[in-house]
Each structure stands twice: as structure tokens, then as C-alpha cells.
Amino acid sequence: MRTVELLLDEHTEQRVVDAWHRLAAAGLPSQSNHSHPTNRPHLTFASADAWTPSAFAAVRAELHGLDLPAAFDGLLRFAGRYDVLALRVRPDARLLRLHRTVHGILRDAGVEAGNPHLQPGSWQPHITLGRARGATWDLPDDLLLPPALRGPAAPAGRFAAARTYDSASRTTAGL
């Protein structure tokens, strides 16, 4: 499986990493405990099992020069095989349009989509803060999320780059 991921500008990424450390310091599951060298805050945009060279090139061209606002809107919790605590990304029209465009490129190239939760209409844009089996983050959101990422006064950041992640080889490549 290969995913397309949007990456944050350096300052905003550091604010998310600080939130990871805040969770870990409280003894809660956090992405700061995930030590793989590819681990960094990201927004998963699309996934597919097999990419054609033309689809890869078209997605790369579409994401070239990426510069979109990254605004946050509280926390999300997902339950499943792994429980997830995530920072909700408030998408603007340009982010949603780019998301639909990337999925259209993949569809038109005959690339079968991977995760159905990433499809337009089902996608809940977020950046994972922590994940674990049977995890609970039962503190109020304002205790889980630092002020730099909380509320309407939280400054927006930027999505400034994109990459792919290959889950078989556990490697990334810039787009």
C-alpha cells in the first residue's frame, strides 16, 4: 500500500510534535513513542495498492509547489483495531478540491483506491496524535491539546510539502 501524505510547515509540525510530547508526558499513547524514522505529523490524502507510473507522475505534478492553509478544529477519536486520537483538520475549499483532484487522477489512471475512509465524501481530515490498542484519552480536550493548537485563536499553519509512504518497504519519497 502506498499513501499520499501532506506535510506541515516546520513551525506547525513542531506544534504538533509538542502535542505528542504533552500526551507522552501525561502517560498517554502518543505518536512520540513511534520511533520509526519516517514518523512525522502528516495528513493522509489517498492510498492505493498499485500505482501506475502515469498516476504517480500526475499526482506529483498536481502537488508540486503545495502551499495550503492548515487550520485545526479540536480533536477526533476513532475506535477500531487501533484507537486513535487525532487533531481535526478544518478543510477549506482548496484542500477539498485538491483531494478530489488527486482521487480523480488515481481513478482515471485505473488505480484502485485503497482505504475507503480516504475517499471524497468519507474523508475526515486529521493528523494522528496517538494510537494504540484499547487506548483511552478520557481527559477533557483542553487538557489533551496544548493552547497553540486549541480554539479559534490557534494560529493556522501551512501544508507545505507532500510525500508518499510505502507500507511494504516502510519508506517515504518526496512528491
Side-chain angles (χ1 to χ4, degrees):
M1 178 78 61
R2 179 176 279 176
T3 60
V4 174
E5 301 172 349
L6 303 189
L7 303 174
L8 298 163
D9 67 86
E10 187 176 318
H11 178 71
T12 307
E13 180 172 314
Q14 187 57 56
R15 288 190 292 148
V16 174
V17 169
D18 290 346
W20 289 359
H21 293 310
R22 180 185 180 108
L23 291 170
L28 297 169
S30 165
Q31 288 300 99
S32 70
N33 299 324
H34 180 60
S35 61
H36 195 272
T38 62
N39 184 41
R40 68 186 286 195
H42 64 273
L43 173 65
T44 304
F45 216 54
S47 68
D49 287 325
W51 287 66
T52 63
S54 63
F56 190 79
V59 168
R60 173 178 272 156
E62 190 64 38
L63 295 174
H64 180 75
L66 179 69
D67 183 25
L68 291 173
F72 307 114
D73 192 18
L75 295 174
L76 291 170
R77 290 167 174 82
F78 300 106
R81 188 176 70 170
Y82 287 92
D83 295 314
V84 173
L85 179 71
L87 181 60
R88 181 192 319 261
V89 172
R90 186 175 53 245
D92 71 355
R94 290 178 294 167
L95 183 66
L96 292 172
R97 186 172 39 255
L98 181 61
H99 183 251
R100 284 189 307 273
T101 299
V102 166
H103 280 267
I105 289 168
L106 296 175
R107 182 188 59 249
D108 293 348
V111 174
E112 189 170 328
N115 187 338
H117 297 293
L118 296 175
Q119 295 298 307
S122 299
W123 185 49
Q124 293 187 57
H126 67 277
I127 296 173
T128 300
L129 299 175
R131 66 190 295 263
R133 291 180 194 262
T136 59
W137 295 273
D138 50 5
L139 297 171
D141 287 4
D142 62 336
L143 295 178
L144 294 171
L145 201 56
L149 292 172
R150 183 175 62 228
R158 307 295 298 169
F159 289 111
R163 71 178 185 179
T164 62
Y165 174 75
D166 185 317
S167 62
S169 65
R170 298 187 73 194
T171 58
T172 62
L175 284 171

